[in-house]
Amino acid sequence: MTKVVRTRVEFEGSVSEELALVQGEDAEPWAQGEELVIVGHPQRRVEGIAKVTGRARYTHDLRLPGMLHARMLRSPYPRARVRRVDPSKALALPGVRSVLHRFNAPKAAFRGEETIFREEVRFVGDEVAAVCADSEAIAEEALALISVDYEVLPHVVDLEEAIDEASPRIDEHGNVHDADRHERGDVRKAFKEADAVVEATYRTATQMHNSFETHGAVAVWDGDMLTVHESTQHIFGVRRGLQAALRIPYGRIRVVCDHMGGGFGSKGGVGKYSIVAALFARELGTPVRCVLDRHEENLAAGNRSATLQKVRIAAKGGRINAIAHDSWSNAGQGRWIADPTGPTKSLYDVPNVLTRSYRVLANTGSLAAFRAPGYVEGTFALECAIDELADRIGIDPLALRRLHAASDRDPISGLRYSLKRLVDCYDIGAQEIGWSRRRPKGLRASAPGLRRGLGMASQIWSGGGTPPAYATVHLNPDGTAVVRIGTQDIGTGTRTIVAQICAEALGIAMADVRVEIGDTDSPYAPISAGSLTVASIGPAIRLAAMDARDQLLDVAAGILEVSKAELRVEGGAVVSRGARTPIAKVFEELQNYTVIGKGARLPNSEELVLKTFGAHFAEVEVDPRTGEVVVDRVVAVHDVGRIVNPLTARSQVEGGVIQALGFALSEERVVDRPTGRVMTPGFESYKVPTVKDVPKIVVRFVDAPDTCANNTGTKGLGEPPIIPTAAAVANAVANALGIRVRTLPLTPQRVLDAVEAAPAAKGGEADRRGDRRS
Amino acid sequence: MPRATPVLGPAAVDVTLDVNGHARAIHIRPQRTLLDALREDLGLMGAKKVCDEGTCGACTVLVDGRPVYACMTLAVATAGRAVETVEGLAHDGGLHPVQEAFIAHDAFQCGFCTPGQIMSVVALLRARPDVTADDVKRAVTGNLCRCGAYPNIVAAALAAAKRKK
């Protein structure tokens, strides 16, 4: 039986009402303390051997017979009108097959526009034309032979310059657009009645994903059937994007993503490269590959918006009484923003809140979701401001947070959380880092001249999962199973948790489960983003495996002539009153029989709000003479429901912390204002953390299943661990130095500048302990 | 920006590479990198092209036992030298101890940098079986990992070193 219901869906900070199909009945959740044999135990990645032997095939590695190569010609100007394109010299180069540009390319809808080659190119790197040739080298050579007549237009690339009214207006509706507003209580009154107010401006830099596998696709036509192999977080999203761009039937498009070299949010749908590959492949009747190089990746494949954030925060009677948070995000040419005010609205139980968020257009590449988009930036501002307020009123910053962290209700909707263990995260983390050692003026440093400090910050994020998600489980007569679901493993360990949940629910060994994912010919599963995956697909896989198990028991009851109620499946055998019959034995006389189980994710409760919580604690040492910040230790504690695989969960947290340390200390896209060029397009100039930048990371979980969330008790873990680290580090640096650095990344230069500026400041934004400087 | 370097130079030449103990004859232009020769001419896809400019280490292979960035090495310059790639590590169906340790310690997530990480660790442990965490860090400091598997990479290398002793 299938029925249609309305359900509330949360994705990366925004909540929407959507229709969902309800099919079948849900299972009772695995209870707390229920003895599970595979789920909840450390399991090695099922694709481990493929990855360590070099056998794992990524989109980049695909080589098909007759395959041609496409490359993009990208605008050298941040804003210009493309008046004429002359590809004749490029076409004359031996090995060049075709050139597409705005005057000959078919219309192809892409992100609200009708074409992939704009008349007005809007950032350095915007697509102007594409070449298809026998080899990448020939295609690249041909790019230089395309002659383009540009009419250069005024541009603006910097966030604060774009906000400035005097700057060029690059959009007919202006550069600054309203994005979000939230108000509760009476903020104006609260600030008037406050005992203390802190007002500060925070800035975060543009962070670039730098997935190791760059964006790319290989397109193949077989008659009117298109297959696209793409490095993507959402095969079904790519399918929809291709359907819209190429105007071909959904049923004639198959998207495949086997192994995938990272996405971090930037690979959420179809790209111009996939559309170009499909167009060339159709025109030329042969497979076409279009893969970005590292520099293109950092021009045109998305980024985390730079932000400017102004926070006012007021205390009354030793509590936070009001927060006002205004935020501007550089969306580049993006049509949305990741709202940084999300944590301010929802993390703490504060009665008076006003947030306003703005999208700012600039002549730079569009933003793309980047692991907890908005929340990473916003948590930095909010959690620094809370520490500044705690300092001002002379209270321990963790103690201040505790006053506002215990509420079991979502302050926006007033609804109850399914489960919230934030205070447990505080207790575990404080104990682990030794928070009781913290003093307002920092800790004793390891050497004279150095400063040491402790800091912490909290985290809120979604992660409750959502329908639709479907799975099938085929049980073979030999007792092995194939689980099929249209999800994808972006490196988070999805294949392994699929195998675990299937094996657990079916009662067979993990080694007997084969996982088929990454193909739109499988049942639908959502995007691998928004920390959605485990809590969306897990329940569907469990239901499918239970359905298969139930049918197996029907068969076994008939074959063994035992009542079904007395049978169970355990360790690959049907067990009844002490007798074990291997599944293969049950099917011995039914040789070509296949049991097919299916499962569909049911909607979340309408009465509950599903969130993940956590807290990070950091200990740092700072050299005020060089400005160098060394992070000694990070303690990361997360409340994400049941942990399916402790081995990969720990890796996920460590990875999040490390990426956050890049955001906190070293990663910063630099764009040259006069030319609009990205000056940091490669790893030489854009500093992602290396092995030597990694501190000791202690990972802890409040491993409590959220039995009100879904039948597996799980919530997502992809994004939570990147959220609070930067704020914790910044707070630790402030504790160490007695000086607040409000701009990320905390480069030596910024730290030195803050140290230099400190003695001159008098109260207000600057720290009153600046006189500690030696 | 695409680097629009014209393809120049003398015509293609015959060269025989010794890859994972096998002589492989290929016909390539002299400016072909070892990485392109491995991936495009020999179909060995383990070494990855991530930056193609010597900044990330994902293409690390061994030449005469020393780790090199294959994207910064001309294929013709390796003629007569022993080239080893990740595909050559497993023998008789058994994984190399470093490969096993990488799986046991979950030393990768997306896996794209993994072949390069493994080759750097293999070279280190062959040269110096007795290693500290600092030695490992020095050995893989030129191998970036965007997923942040570093702590597990170090743990895996130390475990493999212990096993080899």
Side-chain angles (χ1 to χ4, degrees):
Chain A
M1 185 207 61
T2 299
K3 64 180 180 187
V4 179
V5 297
R6 282 198 175 276
T7 186
R8 203 176 53 236
V9 171
E10 175 163 4
F11 180 63
E12 304 204 324
S14 67
V15 178
S16 56
E17 279 263 303
E18 287 181 16
L19 292 179
L21 295 182
V22 179
Q23 291 166 303
E25 296 283 312
D26 209 345
E28 278 297 308
W30 282 317
Q32 172 128 36
E34 187 171 335
E35 198 62 39
L36 301 178
V37 293
I38 296 167
V39 166
H41 301 273
Q43 308 289 351
R44 297 174 177 195
R45 287 177 202 252
V46 296
E47 78 283 15
I49 292 175
K51 282 183 175 170
V52 300
T53 53
R55 283 211 319 267
R57 281 291 168 267
Y58 296 80
T59 303
H60 271 204
D61 301 332
L62 207 64
R63 298 290 181 275
L64 299 174
M67 189 174 83
L68 302 176
H69 300 264
R71 299 278 296 164
M72 297 283 193
L73 179 68
R74 298 182 179 278
S75 171
Y77 301 107
R79 188 165 168 236
R81 192 164 290 125
V82 176
R83 285 195 293 220
R84 203 173 57 86
V85 179
D86 178 3
S88 53
K89 281 187 187 153
L91 285 165
L93 186 73
V96 171
R97 303 299 188 95
S98 181
V99 176
L100 284 171
H101 49 79
R102 83 174 191 88
F103 299 104
N104 73 348
K107 275 190 178 179
F110 183 80
R111 292 189 192 160
E113 292 178 59
E114 286 194 337
T115 174
I116 52 172
F117 300 114
R118 295 165 166 158
E119 178 182 1
E120 184 188 309
V121 286
R122 304 204 195 106
F123 61 94
V124 172
D126 209 347
E127 288 81 354
V128 173
V131 174
C132 190
D134 291 353
S135 72
E136 271 189 302
I138 296 171
E140 211 164 287
E141 188 185 351
L143 294 178
L145 300 175
I146 300 174
S147 146
V148 182
D149 178 17
Y150 295 100
E151 177 193 344
V152 177
L153 301 170
H155 73 272
V156 60
V157 294
D158 177 72
L159 171 62
E160 291 176 47
E161 223 171 278
I163 295 169
D164 188 340
E165 298 265 329
S167 295
R169 201 177 147 101
I170 61 169
D171 182 89
E172 55 174 334
H173 304 296
N175 298 347
V176 180
H177 299 246
D178 290 346
D180 186 82
R181 188 177 196 284
H182 168 78
E183 187 167 11
R184 64 175 185 257
D186 188 338
V187 171
R188 184 195 288 262
K189 183 160 166 271
F191 277 107
K192 205 179 281 173
E193 294 171 354
D195 301 334
V197 176
V198 165
E199 186 167 355
T201 300
Y202 303 93
R203 292 174 174 85
T204 65
T206 303
Q207 188 184 22
M208 301 195 292
H209 303 72
N210 273 305
S211 309
F212 257 34
E213 184 178 36
T214 58
H215 287 64
V218 177
V220 193
W221 290 85
D222 180 8
D224 64 351
M225 178 76 206
L226 171 66
T227 300
V228 169
H229 301 263
E230 174 144 351
S231 180
T232 181
Q233 296 172 235
H234 197 201
I235 48 176
F236 282 93
V238 172
R239 186 184 196 178
R240 285 277 179 216
L242 288 167
Q243 180 194 14
L246 303 173
R247 286 183 253 188
I248 55 174
Y250 184 76
R252 310 310 293 165
I253 305 165
R254 178 179 172 210
V255 179
V256 178
C257 175
D258 189 356
H259 294 283
M260 199 272 210
F264 310 114
S266 68
K267 293 176 179 168
V270 76
K272 289 188 178 180
Y273 49 87
S274 12
I275 298 169
V276 158
L279 290 172
F280 278 136
R282 183 163 63 184
E283 176 196 338
L284 300 167
T286 193
V288 174
R289 175 184 195 261
C290 187
V291 164
L292 272 57
D293 72 20
R294 178 59 41 193
H295 289 204
E296 292 179 285
E297 184 77 3
N298 280 329
L299 294 183
N303 54 73
R304 184 192 298 283
S305 300
T307 66
L308 167 69
Q309 303 181 58
K310 297 187 175 180
V311 181
R312 287 181 78 209
I313 181 164
K316 187 173 167 62
R319 294 175 63 95
I320 305 166
N321 194 36
I323 311 175
H325 186 170
D326 288 332
S327 177
W328 292 261
S329 298
N330 183 348
Q333 287 298 312
R335 288 166 181 263
W336 65 291
I337 63 158
D339 182 11
T341 64
T344 303
K345 291 185 283 195
S346 61
L347 177 52
Y348 296 115
D349 177 26
V350 171
N352 306 294
V353 174
L354 171 64
T355 66
R356 287 172 298 202
S357 186
Y358 304 94
R359 176 173 67 107
V360 181
L361 291 172
N363 295 112
T364 54
S366 301
L367 84 156
F370 189 158
R371 206 168 184 179
Y375 277 54
V376 169
E377 304 89 294
T379 297
F380 165 68
L382 171 69
E383 290 289 74
C384 286
I386 287 181
D387 260 46
E388 297 204 51
L389 183 69
D391 271 3
R392 180 70 55 85
I393 62 176
I395 172 172
D396 176 84
L398 177 55
L400 180 60
R401 284 177 177 85
R402 283 179 184 276
L403 299 176
H404 302 273
S407 163
D408 65 351
R409 284 179 188 274
D410 166 36
I412 299 176
S413 64
L415 295 173
R416 210 175 284 279
Y417 291 120
S418 57
L419 186 70
K420 178 182 177 185
R421 303 283 295 270
L422 179 56
V423 172
D424 296 278
C425 295
Y426 290 165
D427 293 342
I428 296 167
Q431 172 76 27
E432 188 66 53
I433 197 95
W435 186 258
S436 57
R437 294 177 295 143
R438 187 186 182 275
R439 298 289 174 270
K441 294 192 172 190
L443 311 180
R444 178 186 292 273
S446 67
L450 301 180
R451 302 291 174 79
R452 180 170 281 262
L454 282 179
M456 61 83 55
S458 322
Q459 165 260 313
I460 188 170
W461 183 247
S462 51
T466 168
Y470 310 92
T472 61
V473 171
H474 294 196
L475 181 62
N476 297 314
D478 65 350
T480 63
V482 180
V483 52
R484 213 175 283 278
I485 181 162
T487 185
Q488 44 280 307
D489 191 339
I490 64 173
T492 48
T494 301
R495 274 186 173 83
T496 311
I497 65 108
V498 170
Q500 283 182 275
I501 293 171
C502 176
E504 182 78 51
L506 191 45
I508 65 175
M510 253 180 95
D512 287 332
V513 176
R514 201 154 61 76
V515 178
E516 290 289 337
I517 61 170
D519 189 335
T520 55
D521 281 353
S522 297
Y524 181 89
I527 184 170
S528 298
S531 305
L532 283 177
T533 304
V534 176
S536 299
I537 70 171
I541 294 160
R542 182 169 173 233
L543 287 169
M546 288 172 75
D547 184 17
R549 187 188 59 186
D550 190 59
Q551 295 177 52
L552 166 64
L553 292 178
D554 282 333
V555 175
I559 300 275
L560 303 175
E561 296 177 346
V562 178
S563 120
K564 186 178 170 189
E566 291 175 33
L567 299 173
R568 62 183 198 280
V569 188
E570 213 179 83
V574 177
V575 179
S576 82
R577 286 177 294 189
R580 293 175 60 88
T581 314
I583 295 172
K585 186 87 178 158
V586 173
F587 283 105
E588 208 164 34
E589 289 171 50
L590 288 166
Q591 262 311 305
N592 293 318
Y593 195 85
T594 305
V595 168
I596 304 173
K598 58 191 181 95
R601 170 64 154 87
L602 279 94
N604 296 327
S605 161
E606 292 295 300
E607 276 79 50
L608 297 172
V609 170
L610 277 55
K611 296 284 183 184
T612 59
F613 298 91
H616 286 191
F617 293 75
E619 182 161 352
V620 306
E621 200 153 71
V622 188
D623 189 335
R625 299 156 302 191
T626 63
E628 191 184 9
V629 175
V630 175
V631 178
D632 236 34
R633 200 153 60 109
V634 173
V635 174
V637 192
H638 289 278
D639 161 28
V640 294
R642 181 191 302 282
I643 301 299
V644 176
N645 188 348
L647 179 64
T648 53
R650 199 195 66 207
S651 302
Q652 184 72 258
V653 175
E654 288 170 347
V657 167
I658 291 166
Q659 227 167 41
L661 288 173
F663 175 73
L665 299 174
S666 63
E667 292 184 36
E668 179 170 18
R669 183 187 72 182
V670 177
V671 182
D672 182 50
R673 294 188 194 191
T675 63
R677 292 188 181 212
V678 173
M679 308 306 284
T680 50
F683 297 119
E684 183 75 16
S685 45
Y686 184 82
K687 295 298 186 187
V688 307
T690 75
V691 70
K692 290 199 168 186
D693 300 313
V694 177
K696 181 172 173 51
I697 301 168
V698 178
V699 179
R700 293 281 182 270
F701 295 106
V702 180
D703 190 1
D706 187 343
T707 50
C708 297
N710 59 69
N711 71 39
T712 59
T714 57
K715 287 187 283 198
L717 179 59
E719 284 148 306
I722 199 177
I723 294 174
T725 321
V729 168
N731 285 338
V733 168
N735 180 239
L737 286 176
I739 297 164
R740 174 66 60 172
V741 189
R742 299 186 182 83
T743 299
L744 292 184
L746 304 177
T747 57
Q749 187 64 56
R750 290 204 175 96
V751 173
L752 280 180
D753 287 349
V755 168
E756 286 294 315
K762 298 180 193 72
E765 280 206 12
D767 197 289
R768 288 161 297 127
R769 287 180 281 114
D771 57 347
R772 277 183 68 236
R773 181 172 161 258
S774 53
Chain B
M1 290 301 300
R3 285 145 300 170
T5 321
V7 179
L8 299 172
V13 294
D14 288 320
V15 58
T16 300
L17 303 185
D18 170 2
V19 182
N20 299 326
H22 300 285
R24 307 288 299 265
I26 51 175
H27 187 69
I28 54 169
R29 289 187 166 201
Q31 65 268 48
R32 197 149 185 84
T33 63
L34 177 58
L35 179 61
D36 280 341
L38 291 171
R39 290 177 62 83
E40 310 305 332
D41 300 306
L42 298 175
L44 293 170
M45 295 295 179
K48 296 288 186 268
K49 186 182 276 192
V50 169
C51 72
D52 205 22
E53 55 186 11
T55 56
C56 77
C59 63
T60 303
V61 299
L62 308 189
V63 175
D64 286 343
R66 292 175 63 89
V68 302
Y69 286 172
C71 75
M72 293 281 102
T73 306
L74 291 176
V76 290
T78 65
R81 303 168 73 185
V83 176
E84 286 174 84
T85 72
V86 74
E87 287 92 344
L89 289 180
H91 281 297
D92 308 322
L95 295 179
H96 187 280
V98 173
Q99 291 174 313
E100 285 196 351
F102 265 61
I103 296 174
H105 291 266
D106 203 39
F108 49 86
Q109 292 184 31
C110 82
F112 217 69
C113 72
T114 310
Q117 304 277 2
I118 287 176
M119 295 316 286
S120 288
V121 173
V122 166
L124 169 74
L125 298 189
R126 272 193 206 153
R128 299 184 40 200
D130 221 350
V131 295
T132 65
D134 281 344
D135 296 330
V136 175
K137 289 181 185 175
R138 201 172 305 117
V140 297
T141 193
N143 292 88
L144 299 179
C145 170
R146 190 50 163 161
C147 301
Y150 298 125
N152 296 346
I153 291 168
V154 175
L158 292 174
K162 216 168 175 180
R163 236 195 80 178
K164 281 189 87 174
K165 270 202 288 185

